Amino acid sequence: MAVTSKKVEAGAEIKAADHNTLVDDVTALDEGLGQKADTSDVNGKADKTYVDTELSKKANSSSLSGKANTSDLNKKADQSDLEALESRITALESPAE
């Protein structure tokens, strides 16, 4: 909904066309508010039982056992492995003779 009315100063004389525009804007606003969701449409969505049920569907920490741990993630590459990879990349980037 676009508000089309003009700003009217308090105490200023208002023309009939401006008055009608203001009335139309208020009417459109009232109609728009009437189309908003009723609270009955959202009842039960965020109640504690619903939230607890949804949360129980999520993975818990016991289902993650046996997965990678931080010690696996913190291992550093061996320098010789990096040098071997760099030499292979250099060889691949070099034009074939």
Side-chain angles (χ1 to χ4, degrees):
M1 176 201 71
V3 176
T4 57
S5 62
K6 297 178 183 178
K7 182 178 179 183
V8 178
E9 301 282 329
E13 188 174 316
I14 185 169
K15 296 179 183 176
D18 292 337
H19 175 267
N20 291 340
T21 301
L22 287 169
V23 170
D24 290 343
D25 288 345
V26 170
T27 302
L29 181 62
D30 286 343
E31 289 171 357
L33 290 174
Q35 296 172 0
K36 300 295 178 195
D38 188 343
T39 55
S40 63
D41 294 339
V42 293
N43 284 344
K45 298 296 184 200
D47 98 311
K48 184 174 179 357
T49 305
Y50 174 82
V51 172
D52 289 344
T53 302
E54 294 303 308
L55 287 174
S56 70
K57 296 176 185 178
K58 306 294 180 201
N60 61 35
S61 59
S62 65
S63 65
L64 300 175
S65 62
K67 306 296 186 239
N69 60 33
T70 54
S71 64
D72 294 333
L73 299 174
N74 290 330
K75 290 180 182 175
K76 294 181 180 169
D78 186 348
Q79 185 65 33
S80 61
D81 291 339
L82 291 176
E83 290 168 357
L85 287 173
E86 287 174 352
S87 65
R88 286 184 62 200
I89 290 170
T90 303
L92 291 171
E93 291 177 339
S94 300
E97 295 182 28

